[in-house]
Amino acid sequence: MDLDTVRTFIAAADTGQFQEAAAQLAVTQQAVSKRIAALERSLGVRLFTRTARGVEVTIDGQAFLPHARELLRVAERAVASVHAGRRPLRVDVIASRGAAAGLLRGFHRAHPEVDLDVVMLFDIETAVAAIRSSAIDASFRAVAEPGRPLPADVESVRVLDEPLQLLTGPAHALASARSVPLAQLAGHRIWMPGIVPGTEWAAYYDDLVAEFGLSIEATGPNFGSDALLDTIADTPALATFMGKQTRLVWPAGHGLRRIPVTDPTPVYPHSLVWHRDNPHPALATLRAYLATTAAHDAAGTWVPDWVTRG
């Protein structure tokens, strides 16, 4: 149904004059007559009767009028839902307990006026596809994976280098250490079942293993962080890597230790990724906020070469 004809019908019903409706809509009286006639043909009823003073709405027209008004209201809401600045800013984070989610929570505290819609997509390819299709406005990712550059219409900026820590149970050989040099981890079993081949985090840890001769096991199903913490707490031979800003909660009896890794400190590089032509005004606000809070790698840290080149 043509919304212009519906709008014209409402104007004519409200004014009782085709001429006044034409003036209100900035069209000719002939255009009003044609639109009303087209709507009547579409509905199969008469909407107006002529009078000496103009037009009157018929019984069928009176029945249609409240629905016509609702049609326009629905159309206006539909337009507003996708109008930049009127819909929530849709941002992707990998996990609700990770550093990227923490950055987004900080942004929300600083800018409570910005409506946010937080989603969690799987890998960078899925996130980039969602950015290019406008399904989301931005994503927090590690980017510039070797041989898989971002498309030309997608931009990124590095916003946080998150130090990795070693997480152990109370009986682990390194549990009492205040810090541990990265090279000292060679020979220790590091278990990370969440590493999925082909993802950006798999590429990061593959380079970490190759550079420092570590052994990372990704065997077994990934039952989530709670199951991982239970296993690490109960298995003296296993440890895992965890981002310093990852929020973790575990039972007091687990006795888990978070140990800084040094000489050098490996950092996981978080970037904000977005489409170059995205017009959402809150995206600029998010980028400006992150520019004031960004923490990048300093001397004594390690990230893969493909990240630093990107």
Side-chain angles (χ1 to χ4, degrees):
M1 184 174 291
D2 186 346
L3 291 179
D4 281 339
T5 64
V6 175
R7 191 173 289 105
T8 302
F9 164 69
I10 294 172
D14 289 343
T15 62
Q17 296 277 345
F18 280 10
Q19 183 176 359
E20 289 188 25
Q24 185 179 105
L25 298 171
V27 297
T28 66
Q29 186 173 340
Q30 183 181 18
V32 170
S33 298
K34 287 183 177 180
R35 290 179 182 179
I36 296 299
L39 185 59
E40 288 177 332
R41 286 194 300 272
S42 173
L43 296 173
V45 297
R46 293 286 302 277
L47 297 173
F48 294 100
T49 57
R50 299 276 183 174
T51 69
R53 293 184 297 180
V55 292
E56 288 185 355
V57 182
T58 65
I59 293 177
D60 288 324
Q62 292 172 9
F64 179 62
L65 184 58
H67 300 290
R69 296 189 195 279
E70 183 60 22
L71 277 173
L72 291 190
R73 283 193 290 267
V74 169
E76 290 169 359
R77 289 197 296 269
V79 171
S81 71
V82 297
H83 191 280
R86 295 186 182 178
R87 62 165 175 78
L89 184 71
R90 294 186 291 264
V91 184
D92 161 53
V93 297
I94 294 178
S96 61
R97 296 182 181 181
L103 288 174
L104 208 52
R105 285 192 298 270
F107 171 71
H108 179 61
R109 287 192 296 269
H111 296 277
E113 76 283 0
V114 175
D115 289 332
L116 284 175
D117 184 7
V118 182
V119 301
M120 284 178 280
L121 303 178
F122 180 63
D123 59 5
I124 191 168
E125 289 190 355
T126 304
V128 168
I131 287 170
R132 300 187 79 189
S133 69
S134 300
I136 62 174
D137 296 298
S139 175
F140 286 93
R141 294 284 161 178
V143 299
E145 188 176 340
R148 298 162 72 179
L150 292 176
D153 56 349
V154 175
E155 298 187 5
S156 69
V157 63
R158 199 140 139 219
V159 295
L160 175 66
D161 288 344
E162 181 187 16
L164 295 188
Q165 295 181 333
L166 189 71
L167 186 74
T168 76
H172 192 275
L174 299 173
S176 61
R178 299 185 62 180
S179 64
V180 56
L182 188 54
Q184 190 176 329
L185 296 179
H188 287 277
R189 294 176 62 194
I190 300 172
W191 186 51
M192 302 186 71
I195 294 180
V196 178
T199 60
E200 68 268 24
W201 59 90
Y204 173 86
Y205 285 106
D206 284 348
D207 273 32
L208 183 64
V209 165
E211 182 75 14
F212 297 99
L214 306 184
S215 175
I216 294 181
E217 302 174 19
T219 55
N222 180 17
F223 288 113
S225 60
D226 289 343
L228 174 66
L229 298 178
D230 292 345
T231 302
I232 295 298
D234 294 338
T235 312
L238 292 182
T240 192
F241 281 128
M242 196 69 63
K244 180 180 180 180
Q245 292 174 244
T246 299
R247 296 165 62 92
L248 295 174
V249 178
W250 57 77
H254 275 20
L256 293 171
R257 311 286 198 271
R258 299 184 70 151
I259 306 168
V261 180
T262 59
D263 303 321
T265 296
V267 297
Y268 192 84
H270 298 275
S271 291
L272 184 73
V273 187
W274 71 95
H275 195 281
R276 179 182 9 171
D277 298 326
N278 187 307
H280 202 302
L283 178 58
T285 306
L286 174 60
R287 290 171 54 195
Y289 168 80
L290 293 173
T292 66
T293 60
H296 300 300
D297 63 301
T301 65
W302 177 90
V303 290
D305 288 343
W306 49 267
V307 172
T308 56
R309 286 196 304 269

